[in-house]
Amino acid sequence: MARKAIGIDIGGTGIKGALVDVKKGELIGERIRFMTPEGGRPEDIARVVAEIIAAMPGASRWTPVGICFPAVVQHGTTMSAANVSKDWIGLDAEKLFTEKLGRRVHILNDADAAGVAELKYGAAKKRKGLVIMTTLGTGIGSALFINGHLVPNAELGHLEIDGVDYETMASFAAKERENLSWDEWAGRLQKYYSRLEALFSPDLIIVGGGVSKNHTEFLPKLKLRAEIVPAQKRNSAGILGAAWAAADRHAED
């Protein structure tokens, strides 16, 4: 596996990237962040990604590039689009980025990338069995791992509970929108994670997203059979996971 890889994390408001030491799971230099172009159209986002890589010291044209994206990704094609243009739906995104960047890329779902970072460098390192990573933010992202192997595009935030898509009730955005107390929100998280546990019987649940820095306010209130812990990589998780996935793909090729 290559020692260095580039990780790019595309979101609805910002695009950030960095060169990564994939052996250590550490950023090399500073993260570079640009605003996501208005409308989030494919050509515009690809242009910004190219600008980020061009501004990255130490990145050669041979450095593997991993890109994580807010969509279901199947064989390099983005099958959905969250907070970006609907033009991404059904688009061969790997082909687009390969052409615009002049180098091969590997693209994966953003929650999957965050989960890979925790698996390789964080809370799930060396853990066996079934591990579920969840990210609490605008919605609820998820990643599923069995004995260290990713099961891609697990959209477990969309579990239907009480007749509704429950990320609309239990995401961090829902807490803010309804001005819920930590106790009130923990009650909704209890319902969500209890259903998740009933369906999958995980050995470990990891909770990420920006709110995970406040994990002492809500995780101790949850009563589950599975161990539930905060994510360790937080804001760098997407970059780290995307970079590792790209380096791993490069090694296979």
Side-chain angles (χ1 to χ4, degrees):
M1 179 182 286
R3 178 85 193 195
K4 297 190 294 186
I6 295 167
I8 302 289
D9 185 351
I10 296 173
T13 58
I15 302 173
K16 55 192 178 183
L19 192 62
V20 174
D21 182 327
V22 294
K23 300 294 185 183
K24 296 181 179 179
E26 298 175 354
L27 303 189
I28 301 171
E30 298 296 318
R31 285 187 305 171
I32 300 171
R33 186 182 188 278
F34 287 5
M35 296 296 292
T36 302
E38 186 175 354
R41 291 177 290 274
E43 294 283 337
D44 295 334
I45 285 181
R47 172 180 50 79
V48 172
V49 171
E51 291 173 0
I52 289 174
I53 293 175
M56 199 175 289
S60 78
R61 66 183 301 267
W62 308 111
T63 307
V65 178
I67 299 174
C68 65
F69 193 82
V72 169
V73 180
Q74 291 184 304
H75 311 294
T77 297
T78 43
M79 306 302 294
S80 61
N83 302 312
V84 291
S85 169
K86 300 305 180 186
D87 291 345
W88 287 96
I89 299 174
L91 179 72
D92 188 339
E94 280 195 1
K95 180 180 178 182
L96 170 71
F97 284 113
T98 295
E99 291 176 349
K100 295 300 181 182
L101 302 179
R103 60 178 83 204
R104 290 190 62 186
V105 303
H106 178 56
I107 185 167
L108 68 163
N109 171 266
D110 53 359
D112 285 348
V116 168
E118 293 299 325
L119 185 76
K120 299 301 177 181
Y121 311 118
K125 187 176 181 180
K126 296 182 180 179
R127 294 293 296 258
K128 298 295 184 181
L130 178 59
V131 176
I132 297 177
M133 166 86 174
T134 59
T135 56
L136 303 175
T138 305
I140 299 178
S142 64
L144 184 68
F145 299 90
I146 299 177
N147 291 326
H149 296 284
L150 172 67
V151 179
N153 301 308
E155 295 285 325
L156 302 180
H158 295 297
L159 289 178
E160 184 176 313
I161 304 174
D162 296 337
V164 298
D165 181 337
Y166 211 67
E167 74 168 11
T168 64
M169 300 293 291
S171 65
F172 182 60
K175 178 188 185 305
E176 291 190 309
R177 182 177 64 249
E178 299 182 42
N179 197 28
L180 300 175
S181 68
W182 291 110
D183 282 345
E184 289 171 328
W185 189 47
R188 295 190 183 185
L189 292 176
Q190 180 69 52
K191 182 173 287 190
Y192 171 72
Y193 286 114
S194 292
R195 177 63 62 87
L196 199 63
E197 186 169 63
L199 292 172
F200 292 94
S201 299
D203 297 285
L204 175 68
I205 300 171
I206 303 170
V207 179
V211 72
S212 64
K213 65 179 180 292
N214 302 115
H215 62 91
T216 57
E217 299 283 358
F218 62 95
L219 284 190
K221 302 178 189 296
L222 304 182
K223 306 301 179 186
L224 301 165
R225 296 189 307 276
E227 181 182 3
I228 185 166
V229 300
Q232 296 179 5
K233 295 307 173 182
R234 297 181 185 168
N235 287 339
S236 296
I239 291 174
L240 291 172
W244 186 92
D248 186 57
R249 168 73 72 83
H250 184 78
E252 290 180 355
D253 293 344

